[in-house]
């Protein structure tokens, strides 16, 4: 399931639900996630505090840990 969850893009939301980004999860750390943006194929690091609770749970459940 983990492999499948990281192969497909999803819409990531901020806690307010006003900012979204379509990206694929690459990895998750203690305080951030690495996402691959679909529009420009650029990897970005996003602090977990900037994501919705559902997205943080998804990242921690399915993400591959990085140090």
């Amino acid at each position: 399931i983990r492999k499948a969850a990281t192969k497909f893009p999803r819409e990531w939301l901020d806690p307010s639900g006003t900012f979204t980004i379509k990206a694929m999860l690459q990895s998750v750390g203690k305080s951030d996630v690495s996402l691959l943006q679909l529009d420009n194929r650029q990897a970005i690091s996003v602090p977990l505090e900037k994501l919705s609770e559902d997205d943080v749970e998804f990242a921690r459940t399915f993400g591959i840990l990085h140090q």
Side-chain angles (χ1 to χ4, degrees), residues 8-31:
F8 297 100
R10 58 176 290 159
E11 200 159 282
W12 297 82
L13 301 167
D14 73 345
S16 72
T18 56
F19 178 78
T20 65
I21 184 170
K22 193 147 189 157
M24 295 185 337
L25 177 63
Q26 291 192 306
S27 62
V28 62
K30 291 181 182 179
S31 62

Side-chain angles (χ1 to χ4, degrees), residues 29-55:
K30 291 181 182 179
S31 62
D32 67 333
V33 294
S34 176
L35 302 176
L36 181 63
Q37 298 180 92
L38 292 186
D39 57 353
N40 61 9
R41 306 296 291 171
Q42 182 178 353
I44 58 169
S45 178
V46 179
L48 290 174
E49 65 193 35
K50 300 286 186 179
L51 295 174
S52 69
E53 287 183 32
D54 288 344
D55 288 338

